[in-house]
Amino acid sequence: WTLRRLVEVLHRVAEAVAYAHRSGVVHRDLKPDNVMVGAFGQVVVLDWGGAVVLPWSELVDVDALRAREDAVLSGTPSWMAPEQATGSGISLRTDVYGLGAMLFAVLAGRGPFGDAPAPEVLTALRQGDIPTVPASDDAPAELRALCARAMAPDPQDRHEDAVAFRDAVDAWLQGDLRRRQATELLARVEGRQDGRGAQLARARALREEAEAALADVPPHADEVHKLAAWELQDRARALEHEAAMSDVQDELDLHAALTLDPRSAPAHLALAERYLRELEAARAERDTTGAARARARMHHHLDALPRRHPGRRALLAGFGPRRVRVCTDVPAEAVLERFEERGRRLIPVPVGSLGTTPVDVELEPGSYRLVLTAPDRDPLVLPVRPGDPEPFVPPGSSEPVVHVLPVPGLSGCPVPAGWFEAGGDPGADDSLPLARVWVDAFVMARFPVTNAEYIAFLDALVDGGDEGAALRHAPRERAGAMGELGALVYGRDAAGHFHCQVDADGDPWDPDEAVTLVDWEGASAYAAWRARVDGLPWRLPRELEWEKAARGVDGRLFPWGDHLDPSWCCMRDSHAGRRRTPVVHAFPTDASPYGVRGLGGGVRDWCADAYRPDGPALADGREVLLPDDDPTANRVERGGAWYGFAKDSRSANRFSTAPTARFHNMGFRLCRSWRDA
């Protein structure tokens, strides 16, 4: 006998009593012993010998019943209503109490007073001391509430008659049926999720198998050599299609479950988790409209859950404030600013002081920066995006790094150690996959290397007796034949020193313009020379360092935010007249969160890395430095350029370029590691 089956029998009892109440008949002794259930589900209410018939006038106004001669003590004490025990009058609500007492037995497995002696029961009834069904998983809250109302000591607080009680039981039965149907839908969703995971895993394996097969087939080979791999890709695509359709069916079934059972916590939680994933995906794509829509949907379903529901608490905890700890080598005041979009650019807006470091705070989701200041030190700008892992706790550690505030005169822009959001820009060419990556502290030159700076390097080579290297590294036009060096762009004086002049196109080269037409070897040679001159470990930046220096930590699309206007950086549409390389001090709005200039436009930058289609290797979020022993390997090139398109200015853009290439839109800048305890 399931709970539902017992309640269905009680529903049939209530129907029989409701029929009697329509005729003004009160049973007065409703109890389990007076109910028989047949082998085929028949339900019969027995023992109507003690029933009374109320006058029609009393049926019309049952709330105003007066004591009558028929109200003498009758019935079974353990099941009778308080007014029967006191002889204060009976009504249709007296039978409602009896129906409630039988519901008590269904829920608790015993009568309201158990085996208590009749005198004790009568005393309790006369004092209005009516038991309530103990709370348990076997006694639904709706039925406990229905039982408590039916057994209320005051008849006026009960259902008005057996018809109203029957309707209440019927409503629960219908709701229970819908809940069971909703549970079946949820089970289907869960089953499909397990199958979908296997489908997607198989699809990934097929694609990897296809890629391995095609790796040994040259692109120009006949299609017959590619058919087997294509078939693997088609099978993977079919599995992914099935998984996508299964995912759509999940959403439909979850909404159908809520139609059947609007309070279904599992359905609300599953949809909230689903929309949280959509919110995270929209945020990664910088889709503010999609993020707002997903956020609203997520909170709609979270708000439908009880405030203490563990799933609701877990989701809100995962989406709520995050811990941020900041330690410095000297005590520093930490002023918090929040990045907000103003005029389509992200502008730091003051929030307030967090006191003196070390700082341990919880920040709501968003993009912030801390400005750290201390006596005898230069300020340190620390962009912050709260999340997991904690922003400044490196892989394999539980404690944050100690940020070193720069001493006055530090050459370049410091980029503190920490996690940042790399890649994940579908609008960029060859963007890395979205990943949270740890990068150790480094310093990047504020501007790309200029003609004046590069000429100093070439002249030093000449003065050192290595004129051949100077001529090899000097900027040159494109050669007329393979293996030849093109025409020099710089002029030379009698001593062999270099200087800027008007080029073959009639354009004067300015000393403050970024140097271009330099190959990767020339850029690397300059970095090595500059390291010797400055006594600092200058080198070309690795591509993850370049991307962090450009984007900060919040995954913004451009150094200044998520929108592009040609007036903000030097690109194709920034010029009223002839397009050409700008001086490095132009376009002050083309500045990254760390103050590095010219990363969105101007000239592209050579990076130190050999190009790998999937990007640098990562382990636990940290780059794994692989051997670089192939001087002919293509190199990574990053950044926008003075005649590039809008998409070229996106900070996640990557380019693969031969190390011998020399282009008018390509220069370089310096970078060096920075001590960060």
Side-chain angles (χ1 to χ4, degrees):
W1 283 80
T2 63
L3 174 65
R4 181 178 178 83
R5 188 178 176 193
L6 289 167
V7 175
E8 285 174 343
V9 170
L10 181 61
H11 180 261
R12 296 290 299 279
V13 171
E15 282 186 325
V17 178
Y19 178 82
H21 282 190
R22 288 302 189 195
S23 300
V25 176
V26 182
H27 188 285
R28 294 202 300 173
D29 194 16
L30 293 174
K31 58 186 179 181
D33 286 348
N34 284 339
V35 176
M36 292 184 66
V37 181
F40 298 98
Q42 312 94 314
V43 177
V44 180
V45 180
L46 308 176
D47 195 9
W48 292 87
V52 296
V53 181
L54 299 179
W56 180 254
S57 61
E58 292 180 352
L59 284 176
V60 173
D61 188 11
V62 293
D63 294 335
L65 287 175
R66 299 181 301 276
R68 303 175 61 253
E69 292 182 354
D70 297 329
V72 296
L73 184 62
S74 62
T76 305
S78 294
W79 302 92
M80 69 171 49
E83 62 268 25
Q84 289 176 276
T86 59
S88 58
I90 62 168
S91 69
L92 303 180
R93 299 176 192 241
T94 303
D95 279 351
V96 171
Y97 179 95
L99 292 168
M102 284 196 284
L103 178 56
F104 188 110
V106 166
L107 297 174
R110 59 175 177 81
F113 294 96
D115 297 327
E120 292 182 12
V121 174
L122 291 172
T123 299
L125 289 171
R126 288 164 182 158
Q127 294 175 350
D129 188 8
I130 310 299
T132 56
V133 179
S136 73
D137 293 339
D138 297 328
E142 299 95 328
L143 289 182
R144 294 202 311 271
L146 195 159
C147 180
R149 180 183 175 189
M151 295 178 65
D154 187 342
Q156 307 305 318
D157 295 332
R158 302 174 201 154
H159 305 83
E160 62 183 20
D161 56 18
V163 176
F165 180 87
R166 177 205 61 187
D167 291 345
V169 174
D170 182 64
W172 183 85
L173 286 170
Q174 293 301 319
D176 180 61
L177 176 61
R178 291 192 295 271
R179 283 189 291 272
R180 288 166 58 192
Q181 292 171 334
T183 300
E184 291 174 2
L185 286 172
L186 292 171
R188 287 186 211 168
V189 169
E190 186 175 349
R192 278 196 300 268
Q193 287 173 345
D194 294 338
R196 189 161 57 249
Q199 281 180 319
L200 292 174
R202 178 58 181 155
R204 284 193 297 271
L206 289 171
R207 289 199 178 278
E208 290 171 2
E209 188 178 349
E211 289 174 8
L214 290 172
D216 298 328
V217 180
H220 60 270
D222 190 86
E223 67 179 51
V224 69
H225 301 290
K226 306 171 184 174
L227 287 175
W230 290 353
E231 182 181 351
L232 293 174
Q233 291 175 337
D234 290 343
R235 287 165 56 191
R237 189 180 303 110
L239 286 170
E240 290 163 352
H241 176 79
E242 290 178 18
M245 294 303 99
S246 168
D247 187 61
V248 171
Q249 190 60 52
D250 278 359
E251 185 171 17
L252 294 174
D253 282 351
L254 288 170
H255 283 293
L258 286 178
T259 300
L260 291 165
D261 181 10
R263 291 186 293 177
S264 171
H268 280 298
L269 188 58
L271 284 167
E273 291 172 341
R274 181 186 193 89
Y275 294 133
L276 176 58
R277 291 192 295 271
E278 290 185 8
L279 170 60
E280 291 170 341
R283 284 178 53 199
E285 295 177 6
R286 320 298 286 186
D287 178 4
T288 55
T289 301
R293 182 168 54 246
R295 185 194 301 272
R297 288 175 172 171
M298 182 189 75
H299 279 289
H300 168 75
H301 292 288
L302 283 181
D303 291 344
L305 294 172
R307 299 192 66 82
R308 294 189 177 184
H309 190 282
R312 180 182 189 274
R313 292 203 306 270
L315 261 185
L316 286 175
F319 189 65
R322 284 289 193 275
R323 187 182 189 188
V324 174
R325 289 178 289 169
V326 177
C327 298
T328 54
D329 64 325
V330 294
E333 183 186 6
V335 175
L336 180 67
E337 299 173 341
R338 185 183 183 107
F339 282 108
E340 296 182 4
E341 194 168 279
R342 304 282 177 87
R344 296 197 172 185
R345 287 189 288 134
L346 291 175
I347 305 298
V349 177
V351 175
S353 175
L354 299 181
T356 303
T357 58
V359 167
D360 189 341
V361 296
E362 286 195 343
L363 296 179
E364 294 289 341
S367 181
Y368 304 85
R369 77 173 191 179
L370 283 168
V371 179
L372 306 176
T373 56
D376 303 322
R377 298 289 187 94
D378 282 347
L380 180 65
V381 175
L382 201 65
V384 180
R385 180 155 199 169
D388 292 325
E390 195 178 327
F392 305 114
V393 176
S397 176
S398 60
E399 297 300 320
V401 297
V402 176
H403 298 291
V404 177
L405 269 68
V407 296
L410 177 74
S411 179
C413 299
V415 180
W419 297 90
F420 86 105
E421 290 188 11
D425 181 1
D429 286 336
D430 200 20
S431 168
L432 295 172
L434 177 66
R436 207 159 158 87
V437 179
W438 176 271
V439 175
D440 290 326
F442 64 96
V443 176
M444 182 171 277
R446 188 176 301 276
F447 299 104
V449 173
T450 64
N451 286 314
E453 291 170 322
Y454 199 74
I455 286 173
F457 159 61
L458 297 179
D459 289 347
L461 290 176
V462 171
D463 293 341
D466 198 353
E467 184 178 18
L471 292 172
R472 186 171 65 254
H473 296 320
R476 292 178 177 272
E477 297 283 0
R478 189 170 185 174
M482 183 69 68
E484 293 182 359
L485 290 175
L488 281 172
V489 175
Y490 293 153
R492 301 187 70 187
D493 61 19
H497 292 161
F498 295 82
H499 59 81
C500 291
Q501 63 178 8
V502 176
D503 63 17
D505 295 324
D507 295 321
W509 279 47
D510 191 299
D512 287 335
E513 289 177 3
V515 63
T516 58
L517 295 173
V518 175
D519 61 14
W520 186 83
E521 182 185 358
S524 300
Y526 175 87
W529 171 79
R530 183 72 175 273
R532 292 192 299 272
V533 171
D534 293 353
L536 296 171
W538 291 114
R539 53 177 170 78
L540 298 181
R542 295 192 294 273
E543 68 164 314
L544 286 176
E545 291 174 326
W546 191 100
E547 186 169 339
K548 181 176 181 180
R551 304 178 78 178
V553 300
D554 57 12
R556 60 185 61 192
L557 302 181
F558 304 94
W560 51 82
D562 291 334
H563 303 277
L564 171 68
D565 186 84
S567 65
W568 296 340
C569 69
C570 187
M571 43 87 69
R572 174 177 293 267
D573 299 325
S574 303
H575 313 265
R578 180 177 171 81
R579 302 185 183 104
R580 56 165 302 151
T581 308
V583 295
V584 295
H585 302 283
F587 296 91
T589 49
D590 187 357
S592 82
Y594 303 100
V596 184
R597 299 274 294 276
L599 297 173
V603 294
R604 294 176 182 167
D605 293 326
W606 282 113
C607 291
D609 313 52
Y611 175 81
R612 296 179 179 85
D614 297 329
L618 300 175
D620 297 326
R622 191 193 290 266
E623 181 179 2
V624 178
L625 296 179
L626 301 175
D628 184 11
D629 50 9
D630 182 3
T632 65
N634 278 15
R635 298 290 157 170
V636 176
E637 188 188 348
R638 289 283 199 144
W642 54 271
Y643 67 75
F645 294 96
K647 68 179 182 61
D648 297 326
S649 294
R650 301 173 87 94
S651 299
N653 257 357
R654 305 169 69 228
F655 304 92
S656 172
T657 307
T660 55
R662 297 171 183 261
F663 296 119
H664 280 280
N665 68 336
M666 196 155 69
F668 66 97
R669 68 180 67 231
L670 299 182
C671 176
R672 63 181 174 85
S673 299
W674 184 38
R675 181 177 66 86
D676 201 351

